[in-house]
Amino acid sequence: MSSADTARRWRQVLSELRPDLPGEWSLRGGGLDTVLAREPLDWSLAWIGWSGSPTRPAGWVAAGVQPLVAPFTSWIMTYGIRMDEVRPGPRAVDLSSDGAVEQARRFVLDGGLKKIDGWPAERLADVAERDFAQDPRRRRTHWHQLPGWRVVNATASPVEPATQLAELCRERAAESSGTGARQLAEQAAFYEGLVRAWHDGERDAALPFLTAQRDQALAARKLDRALTP
């Protein structure tokens, strides 16, 4: 299969899978980056997508939650799972086979949705707060969302964690090169912009800043609008 054929087949699999999912889901994105997204999109994106080479029909279905309160530089799997991590069940999918839809369905219904449902927005925000409360040497990456959740939920000022994150990203960017350095600089600019917005008008200014950043990130990945199934 060509990469175009693989992408078309993946979209067909998602279209056939969509009616079997509880709630409302839409097709968003393009090519092999097309995902099923749970509606409505708000400050986190529950998704079902593809992981694999565009030139090979064999790959993996994945499911997870993408927080939208922090820089969206790439898809993360912190709150996700790939089908080869679920047992028993199909370890991979061959999009050229007749059983591709059923294999994808088994993974999503048996493991993918459970993972997604385990990370509601409330839990993401809570875990971010608890991660930030740790000694900095013991923190993971959950707290990277904290400034955004504080603004969205109107719980506290984002300035302290956002300032720390901006400094951290600047330090790492100085030690990196190429795409990695550019992405870290973009993340630093995000947090610095959020701090400026908060100083300008607290939540009344910071929330529109976050909304604009989220909408731009979704549009860049063609996730801003639902596709015709």
Coordinates of all heavy atoms in Angstrom, one line a residue, residues 163-203:
T163 N 6.5 30.6 35.6 CA 7.8 31.2 35.6 C 8.9 30.1 35.7 O 9.9 30.2 35.0 CB 8.0 32.2 36.8 OG1 7.0 33.2 36.6 CG2 9.4 32.8 36.8
Q164 N 8.7 29.1 36.6 CA 9.6 28.1 36.7 C 9.7 27.3 35.4 O 10.8 26.9 35.0 CB 9.2 27.1 37.9 CG 9.4 27.7 39.2 CD 9.1 26.7 40.3 OE1 9.3 25.5 40.2 NE2 8.7 27.2 41.5
L165 N 8.6 27.0 34.7 CA 8.6 26.3 33.5 C 9.3 27.0 32.4 O 10.1 26.5 31.6 CB 7.2 25.9 33.1 CG 6.6 24.8 33.9 CD1 5.1 24.7 33.7 CD2 7.2 23.4 33.4
A166 N 9.1 28.3 32.3 CA 9.8 29.2 31.3 C 11.3 29.1 31.5 O 12.1 28.9 30.5 CB 9.3 30.6 31.4
E167 N 11.7 29.2 32.8 CA 13.2 29.1 33.0 C 13.7 27.8 32.7 O 14.8 27.7 32.1 CB 13.4 29.5 34.5 CG 13.1 30.9 34.9 CD 13.2 31.2 36.4 OE1 13.4 30.2 37.1 OE2 13.1 32.3 36.8
L168 N 13.0 26.7 33.0 CA 13.4 25.4 32.7 C 13.6 25.1 31.2 O 14.6 24.6 30.7 CB 12.5 24.4 33.3 CG 12.7 22.9 33.1 CD1 14.1 22.5 33.8 CD2 11.6 22.0 33.6
C169 N 12.6 25.6 30.5 CA 12.6 25.4 29.0 C 13.8 26.2 28.4 O 14.4 25.8 27.5 CB 11.3 25.9 28.4 SG 9.9 24.8 28.8
R170 N 14.0 27.4 28.9 CA 15.1 28.2 28.4 C 16.5 27.5 28.6 O 17.3 27.5 27.8 CB 15.1 29.6 29.0 CG 14.0 30.5 28.6 CD 14.0 30.9 27.1 NE 12.9 31.8 26.8 CZ 12.6 32.1 25.5 NH1 13.2 31.5 24.5 NH2 11.6 32.9 25.3
E171 N 16.6 27.0 29.8 CA 17.8 26.3 30.2 C 18.0 25.1 29.3 O 19.2 24.9 28.7 CB 17.8 25.8 31.6 CG 17.9 27.0 32.6 CD 17.7 26.5 34.1 OE1 17.5 25.3 34.3 OE2 17.6 27.4 35.0
R172 N 17.0 24.3 29.1 CA 17.1 23.1 28.2 C 17.3 23.5 26.7 O 18.0 22.8 26.0 CB 15.9 22.3 28.4 CG 15.8 21.6 29.7 CD 14.5 20.8 29.9 NE 14.5 20.1 31.2 CZ 13.4 19.3 31.6 NH1 12.3 19.2 30.8 NH2 13.5 18.7 32.8
A173 N 16.7 24.6 26.3 CA 16.9 25.0 24.9 C 18.4 25.4 24.7 O 18.9 25.1 23.6 CB 16.0 26.2 24.6
A174 N 19.0 26.0 25.7 CA 20.4 26.4 25.5 C 21.3 25.2 25.4 O 22.4 25.3 24.9 CB 20.8 27.3 26.7
E175 N 20.9 24.1 25.9 CA 21.7 22.9 25.9 C 21.3 22.0 24.7 O 22.0 20.9 24.5 CB 21.5 22.1 27.2 CG 21.9 22.9 28.5 CD 21.4 22.2 29.7 OE1 20.7 21.2 29.6 OE2 21.8 22.6 30.8
S176 N 20.4 22.4 23.9 CA 19.9 21.6 22.8 C 20.2 22.3 21.5 O 20.8 23.4 21.5 CB 18.4 21.3 22.9 OG 18.0 20.8 24.2
S177 N 19.8 21.6 20.4 CA 20.0 22.2 19.1 C 18.9 21.7 18.2 O 18.1 20.8 18.5 CB 21.4 21.8 18.5 OG 21.4 20.4 18.4
G178 N 18.8 22.4 17.0 CA 17.8 22.0 16.0 C 16.4 22.1 16.5 O 16.0 23.0 17.2
T179 N 15.6 21.1 16.0 CA 14.2 21.1 16.3 C 13.9 21.1 17.8 O 13.0 21.8 18.3 CB 13.5 19.9 15.7 OG1 13.7 19.9 14.3 CG2 12.0 19.9 16.0
G180 N 14.7 20.3 18.6 CA 14.5 20.3 20.0 C 14.6 21.6 20.7 O 13.8 22.0 21.5
A181 N 15.6 22.4 20.3 CA 15.9 23.7 20.9 C 14.7 24.7 20.5 O 14.3 25.5 21.3 CB 17.2 24.3 20.4
R182 N 14.3 24.6 19.2 CA 13.2 25.4 18.8 C 11.9 25.2 19.6 O 11.2 26.1 20.0 CB 12.9 25.2 17.3 CG 11.8 26.1 16.7 CD 11.6 25.8 15.2 NE 11.5 24.4 14.9 CZ 10.3 23.8 15.0 NH1 9.2 24.3 15.5 NH2 10.3 22.5 14.6
Q183 N 11.6 23.9 19.8 CA 10.4 23.5 20.5 C 10.4 24.0 21.9 O 9.4 24.5 22.5 CB 10.1 22.0 20.4 CG 9.7 21.6 19.0 CD 9.4 20.1 19.0 OE1 9.7 19.3 19.9 NE2 8.7 19.6 18.0
L184 N 11.6 23.9 22.5 CA 11.7 24.3 23.9 C 11.6 25.8 24.0 O 11.0 26.3 25.0 CB 13.1 23.8 24.5 CG 13.2 22.3 24.8 CD1 14.6 21.9 24.9 CD2 12.4 22.0 26.1
A185 N 12.2 26.5 23.1 CA 12.0 28.0 23.0 C 10.6 28.4 22.9 O 10.1 29.4 23.5 CB 12.9 28.6 21.9
E186 N 9.8 27.6 22.1 CA 8.4 27.9 21.9 C 7.6 27.7 23.2 O 6.7 28.4 23.5 CB 7.8 27.1 20.8 CG 8.3 27.4 19.4 CD 7.9 26.5 18.3 OE1 7.2 25.4 18.7 OE2 8.1 26.7 17.1
Q187 N 8.0 26.6 23.9 CA 7.3 26.3 25.2 C 7.6 27.4 26.2 O 6.7 27.9 26.9 CB 7.8 25.0 25.7 CG 7.3 23.8 24.9 CD 7.9 22.5 25.3 OE1 7.9 22.2 26.5 NE2 8.4 21.7 24.4
A188 N 8.9 27.9 26.2 CA 9.2 29.0 27.1 C 8.4 30.2 26.8 O 7.9 30.9 27.7 CB 10.7 29.3 27.0
A189 N 8.3 30.5 25.5 CA 7.5 31.7 25.1 C 6.0 31.6 25.5 O 5.4 32.6 25.9 CB 7.6 31.9 23.6
F190 N 5.5 30.4 25.4 CA 4.1 30.1 25.9 C 3.9 30.5 27.3 O 3.0 31.3 27.7 CB 3.8 28.6 25.7 CG 2.4 28.2 26.2 CD1 1.3 28.1 25.4 CD2 2.3 27.9 27.5 CE1 0.1 27.7 25.8 CE2 1.0 27.5 28.0 CZ -0.1 27.4 27.2
Y191 N 4.8 30.0 28.2 CA 4.7 30.3 29.6 C 4.9 31.7 29.9 O 4.3 32.3 30.8 CB 5.6 29.3 30.4 CG 5.2 27.9 30.3 CD1 6.0 26.9 29.7 CD2 3.9 27.5 30.8 CE1 5.6 25.6 29.6 CE2 3.5 26.1 30.8 CZ 4.4 25.2 30.2 OH 4.0 23.9 30.1
E192 N 5.9 32.3 29.2 CA 6.2 33.7 29.5 C 5.0 34.6 29.0 O 4.6 35.6 29.7 CB 7.4 34.1 28.7 CG 8.7 33.5 29.3 CD 9.9 33.6 28.3 OE1 9.7 33.9 27.1 OE2 11.0 33.3 28.8
G193 N 4.4 34.2 27.9 CA 3.2 35.0 27.5 C 2.0 34.8 28.5 O 1.3 35.8 28.7
L194 N 1.9 33.6 29.1 CA 0.8 33.5 30.0 C 1.1 34.3 31.3 O 0.1 34.9 31.8 CB 0.8 32.0 30.4 CG -0.3 31.6 31.5 CD1 -1.7 32.0 31.0 CD2 -0.3 30.1 31.8
V195 N 2.3 34.4 31.7 CA 2.6 35.3 32.9 C 2.3 36.7 32.5 O 1.7 37.4 33.4 CB 4.1 35.1 33.3 CG1 4.5 36.2 34.3 CG2 4.3 33.7 33.8
R196 N 2.7 37.2 31.3 CA 2.4 38.6 31.0 C 0.9 38.8 30.9 O 0.4 39.9 31.4 CB 3.0 38.9 29.6 CG 4.5 39.0 29.6 CD 5.0 39.7 28.3 NE 4.7 38.9 27.2 CZ 5.5 37.9 26.7 NH1 6.6 37.7 27.3 NH2 5.1 37.2 25.6
A197 N 0.2 37.9 30.4 CA -1.3 38.0 30.3 C -1.9 38.1 31.7 O -2.8 38.9 32.0 CB -1.9 36.9 29.5
W198 N -1.4 37.3 32.6 CA -1.9 37.3 34.0 C -1.6 38.7 34.7 O -2.5 39.2 35.3 CB -1.3 36.2 34.8 CG -1.9 36.1 36.2 CD1 -1.3 36.7 37.3 CD2 -3.1 35.4 36.6 NE1 -2.1 36.4 38.4 CE2 -3.2 35.6 38.0 CE3 -4.0 34.7 35.9 CZ2 -4.3 35.1 38.7 CZ3 -5.1 34.1 36.7 CH2 -5.2 34.4 38.0
H199 N -0.4 39.2 34.4 CA -0.1 40.5 35.0 C -0.9 41.6 34.4 O -1.2 42.6 35.1 CB 1.4 40.8 34.8 CG 2.3 40.0 35.7 ND1 2.0 39.7 37.0 CD2 3.5 39.4 35.5 CE1 3.0 38.9 37.6 NE2 3.9 38.7 36.6
D200 N -1.3 41.4 33.2 CA -2.1 42.5 32.5 C -3.5 42.5 33.0 O -4.1 43.6 33.1 CB -2.1 42.2 31.0 CG -0.8 42.6 30.3 OD1 0.0 43.3 30.9 OD2 -0.6 42.1 29.2
G201 N -4.1 41.3 33.3 CA -5.5 41.4 33.7 C -6.0 40.1 34.4 O -7.2 39.8 34.4
E202 N -5.0 39.4 35.1 CA -5.3 38.1 35.8 C -6.2 37.2 34.9 O -5.9 37.1 33.7 CB -6.0 38.4 37.1 CG -5.1 39.2 38.0 CD -5.5 39.2 39.5 OE1 -6.7 38.9 39.8 OE2 -4.7 39.6 40.3
R203 N -7.2 36.5 35.4 CA -7.8 35.5 34.6 C -8.5 36.1 33.4 O -8.7 35.4 32.3 CB -8.8 34.7 35.5 CG -9.4 33.5 34.8 CD -10.2 32.7 35.7 NE -10.7 31.4 35.1 CZ -11.9 31.3 34.5 NH1 -12.7 32.3 34.4 NH2 -12.2 30.1 34.0

